[in-house]
């Protein structure tokens, strides 16, 4: 099946800067030691190094992603990010997981490990409770495709869809973390962005949360 993103092949993905990169970088301090979990083809690592002078390491499951990163000279290893990580306690200032937590088998293990290896954590994810998804489900009676980026429920790597409320429940389950700052990617429409300020669970499409240890 050609239209399938479960294997995470980065060899044919365009080199485009994602809109959440600037938001994530705004949460970093200059010179931070950063671990990027699920770093893909390394574009975010490059941006963090260039724009915030961060010292970055990465971890990625996809062999093609790791190969591209290494060709760029980035310090990236291959491995699963939802298992015990090969890093020491508090080894990093910040651990980042950008739009990947919904793709792993054990999100709770991923967040717990981010807490262990870093003082602060930045997690971003597509909000599956976005109002267009709710309408799609209501009207069409099937898994919404808007947040699956052109894939279907059976051939997407997004195996654990979540909402803002779901993430807060995960925080409570993992324990020992509290939300420090919240950022959002603009929907591109002033009305929707304004409504997002009042009802983020409905009208924020991409959520970026910074947490820290209690």
């Amino acid at each position: 099946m050609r239209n399938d993103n479960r294997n995470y092949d980065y060899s044919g993905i365009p080199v485009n800067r994602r809109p959440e990169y600037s938001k994530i970088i705004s949460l970093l301090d200059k010179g931070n030691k950063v671990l990027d979990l699920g770093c893909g083809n390394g574009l975010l690592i490059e941006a963090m190094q260039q724009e915030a002078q961060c010292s970055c390491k990465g971890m990625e499951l996809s062999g093609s992603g790791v190969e591209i990163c290494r060709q760029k000279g980035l310090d990236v290893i291959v491995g699963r990010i939802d298992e015990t990580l090969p890093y020491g306690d508090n080894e990093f200032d910040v651990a980042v997981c950008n739009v990947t937590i919904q793709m792993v088998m054990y999100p709770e293990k991923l967040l717990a490990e981010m807490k262990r290896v870093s003082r602060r954590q930045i997690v971003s994810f597509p909000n599956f409770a976005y109002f267009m998804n709710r309408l799609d489900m209501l009207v069409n009676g099937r898994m919404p495709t808007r947040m699956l980026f052109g894939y279907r429920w059976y051939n997407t790597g997004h195996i654990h869809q979540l909402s803002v409320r779901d993430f807060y429940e995960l925080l409570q389950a993992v324990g020992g973390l509290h939300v420090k700052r919240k950022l959002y990617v603009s929907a591109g429409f002033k009305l929707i962005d304004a409504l997002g300020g009042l009802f983020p669970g409905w009208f924020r499409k991409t959520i970026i949360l910074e947490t820290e240890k209690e």
Side-chain angles (χ1 to χ4, degrees):
M1 185 175 296
R2 296 188 336 185
N3 191 26
D4 191 317
N5 79 334
R6 288 169 289 190
N7 292 321
Y8 314 113
D9 184 1
Y10 288 91
S11 58
I13 294 180
V15 182
N16 294 326
R17 182 185 177 99
R18 296 177 60 98
E20 66 272 12
Y21 287 4
S22 296
K23 303 285 187 178
I24 291 172
I25 292 169
S26 74
L27 296 173
L28 301 173
D29 297 322
K30 185 176 180 179
N32 272 162
K33 189 174 182 181
V34 180
L35 175 64
D36 186 358
L37 294 167
C39 61
N41 56 10
L43 288 179
L44 178 56
I45 289 180
E46 289 182 297
M48 292 189 292
Q49 290 182 159
Q50 293 169 6
E51 298 173 33
Q53 292 75 56
C54 291
S55 172
C56 300
K57 293 185 178 182
M59 193 169 186
E60 170 59 45
L61 180 63
S62 166
S64 62
V66 173
E67 182 179 357
I68 292 170
C69 288
R70 290 177 175 172
Q71 288 173 356
K72 298 176 181 179
L74 303 179
D75 187 356
V76 172
I77 63 172
V78 64
R80 288 182 53 142
I81 62 174
D82 57 344
E83 297 179 346
T84 300
L85 300 175
Y87 305 106
D89 295 355
N90 300 310
E91 184 171 337
F92 299 90
D93 298 308
V94 184
V96 175
C97 183
N98 182 39
V99 291
T100 305
I101 193 169
Q102 77 280 2
M103 294 184 173
V104 301
M105 186 65 69
Y106 301 101
E108 70 279 21
K109 180 64 173 179
L110 167 59
L111 188 59
E113 281 296 286
M114 292 178 72
K115 180 182 75 170
R116 181 182 66 81
V117 302
S118 65
R119 296 185 298 104
R120 294 185 289 132
Q121 305 75 36
I122 300 173
V123 179
S124 67
F125 57 92
N127 174 25
F128 203 68
Y130 187 59
F131 81 103
M132 292 299 292
N133 278 352
R134 299 186 191 223
L135 289 175
D136 196 354
M137 177 70 82
L138 178 65
V139 173
N140 296 309
R142 51 138 173 83
M143 174 67 98
T145 59
R146 180 170 296 272
M147 304 298 273
L148 300 182
F149 306 99
Y151 299 99
R152 299 292 178 180
W153 67 268
Y154 54 84
N155 63 9
T156 179
H158 294 225
I159 60 174
H160 284 120
Q161 303 288 2
L162 72 156
S163 68
V164 179
R165 182 175 294 181
D166 289 325
F167 185 79
Y168 274 87
E169 289 181 354
L170 178 62
L171 277 180
Q172 186 175 16
V174 171
L177 293 172
H178 70 272
V179 173
K180 182 179 180 181
R181 287 181 282 188
K182 310 172 190 177
L183 295 176
Y184 311 97
V185 174
S186 171
F189 299 95
K190 291 183 178 179
L191 177 59
I192 295 176
D193 286 340
L195 289 171
L198 299 172
F199 309 104
W202 280 77
F203 296 102
R204 296 299 192 188
K205 189 174 182 180
T206 303
I207 313 297
I208 304 165
L209 297 176
E210 178 191 17
T211 63
E212 65 179 1
K213 295 180 182 180
E214 295 177 346

